[in-house]
């Protein structure tokens, strides 16, 4: 399994112990197996699965579909991709806490622009685009 935009996070427990994980991140400080961009995965693969959680929103809008095409390219025929992004439907750029995450409280401003407390020293953590159901579906179709 290719874990795209892995950061410092392991694969979630719901995957069990089955998948052999290959970690990819653009930020070398997380010590991924592959330092690189999800919009140009280079000569890697094939993989049975791609997992990307809270990564696509860090790309510019025009690069989202490009990254998804790269995911498809490195998958074996019939492979699966699990892509998770923040849902910005109804979110406003304020500081009211919307939910608690493992990284701490999350407000609308964090969901739109990136986790405020993580941005300093980590420019890749800034959000450059956002998704609601319709925009993610469009990017997947493209």
């Amino acid at each position: 399994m290719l874990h795209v935009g892995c950061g410092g996070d392991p694969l979630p427990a719901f995957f069990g112990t089955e998948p052999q994980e290959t970690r990819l991140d653009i930020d070398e400080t997380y010590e991924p197996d592959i330092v690189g961009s999800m919009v140009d995965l280079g000569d890697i693969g094939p993989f049975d699965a791609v997992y990307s959680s809270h990564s696509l929103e860090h790309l510019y809008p025009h690069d989202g579909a490009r990254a998804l095409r790269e995911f498809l390219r490195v998958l074996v025929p019939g492979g699966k991709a699990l892509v998770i992004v923040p849902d910005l439907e109804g979110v406003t750029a304020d500081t009211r806490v919307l939910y608690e995450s493992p990284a701490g409280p999350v407000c609308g401003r964090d969901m739109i622009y990136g986790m405020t407390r993580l941005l300093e020293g980590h420019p890749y953590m800034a959000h450059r685009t956002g998704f609601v159901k319709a925009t993610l579906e469009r990017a997947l179709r493209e």
Side-chain angles (χ1 to χ4, degrees):
M1 175 177 300
L2 180 62
H3 186 175
V4 175
C6 61
D9 299 330
L11 284 175
F14 62 75
F15 284 116
T17 59
E18 285 298 310
Q20 178 184 344
E21 177 187 25
T22 299
R23 299 166 52 79
L24 180 135
D25 203 288
I26 198 164
D27 190 339
E28 64 187 22
T29 62
Y30 293 116
E31 299 180 1
D33 300 310
I34 302 167
V35 176
S37 170
M38 69 182 99
V39 299
D40 182 6
L41 294 175
D43 188 23
I44 64 171
F47 294 94
D48 295 319
V50 172
Y51 174 65
S52 171
S53 179
H54 293 269
S55 298
L56 287 180
E57 65 271 16
H58 299 281
L59 300 175
Y60 290 105
H62 61 277
D63 281 333
R66 189 172 159 198
L68 291 168
R69 282 191 298 275
E70 282 291 279
F71 296 178
L72 181 61
R73 184 182 64 79
V74 301
L75 282 169
V76 299
K80 306 289 184 200
L82 176 56
V83 177
I84 300 169
V85 295
D87 182 359
L88 297 182
E89 188 72 40
V91 173
T92 59
D94 60 24
T95 57
R96 182 176 41 91
V97 175
L98 300 175
Y99 67 94
E100 292 288 334
S101 79
V106 177
C107 65
R109 185 177 65 190
D110 295 329
M111 289 180 68
I112 294 170
Y113 301 111
M115 293 286 284
T116 304
R117 66 187 159 285
L118 301 178
L119 289 172
E120 189 173 343
H122 295 278
Y124 297 118
M125 295 300 289
H127 291 184
R128 293 179 176 92
T129 193
F131 297 92
V132 295
K133 181 180 178 187
T135 56
L136 182 59
E137 286 176 350
R138 187 174 328 123
L140 289 165
R141 278 194 301 277
E142 288 176 13

